[in-house]
């Protein structure tokens, strides 16, 4: 199964179903269930706080969200192109019951975690 690397709090918002679109600079032909990897990369604290508020995530701090692990799966079912980027459409998120670290090195976009 492929994995997609996404920074927090975006990854958490996808798992909660409040972020059904992932914005990328490339199209994708993937139409399947994929893993969501919450990357180790972080935004500035004020940016993280703004994103958490935007997504309505108030029950946990961004510092307490998992980083560097696979947090669940989601189905990529389509994409559209805009003038500036591509919108990848996501649905049916399923949170992982066990947070696993990938055994293969995570990449900026797609990678095979095991």
């Amino acid at each position: 199964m492929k994995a997609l690397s996404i920074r927090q709090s975006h990854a958490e918002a996808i798992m909660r179903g409040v972020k059904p679109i992932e914005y990328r600079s490339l199209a994708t032909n993937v139409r399947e269930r994929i893993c969501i990897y919450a990357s180790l990369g972080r935004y500035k604290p004020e940016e993280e706080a703004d994103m958490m508020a935007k997504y309505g995530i108030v029950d946990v701090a961004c510092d307490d969200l998992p980083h560097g692990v696979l947090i669940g799966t989601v189905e990529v079912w389509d994409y559209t192109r805009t003038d500036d980027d591509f919108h990848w459409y996501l649905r049916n998120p399923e949170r992982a019951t066990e947070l696993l670290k990938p055994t293969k090195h995570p990449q900026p976009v797609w990678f095979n975690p095991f």
Side-chain angles (χ1 to χ4, degrees), residues 7-44:
R7 288 184 189 182
Q8 290 289 22
S9 64
H10 299 302
E12 179 65 18
I14 289 170
M15 288 294 96
R16 291 178 182 224
V18 297
K19 186 177 188 292
I21 300 172
E22 174 65 10
Y23 304 97
R24 295 286 172 150
S25 60
L26 300 170
T28 182
N29 292 323
V30 171
R31 301 289 184 278
E32 62 190 58
R33 184 159 286 280
I34 60 160
C35 292
I36 297 295
Y37 170 75
S39 69
L40 290 169
R42 301 285 301 262
Y43 293 102
K44 293 177 183 175

Side-chain angles (χ1 to χ4, degrees), residues 73-85:
T73 63
V74 69
E75 183 184 344
V76 179
W77 63 275
D78 202 2
Y79 80 88
T80 57
R81 183 179 187 160
T82 67
D83 291 338
D84 299 328
D85 56 18

Side-chain angles (χ1 to χ4, degrees), residues 36-55:
I36 297 295
Y37 170 75
S39 69
L40 290 169
R42 301 285 301 262
Y43 293 102
K44 293 177 183 175
E46 58 274 9
E47 290 177 282
E48 289 181 345
D50 287 346
M51 284 184 265
M52 295 285 280
K54 173 186 157 193
Y55 292 130

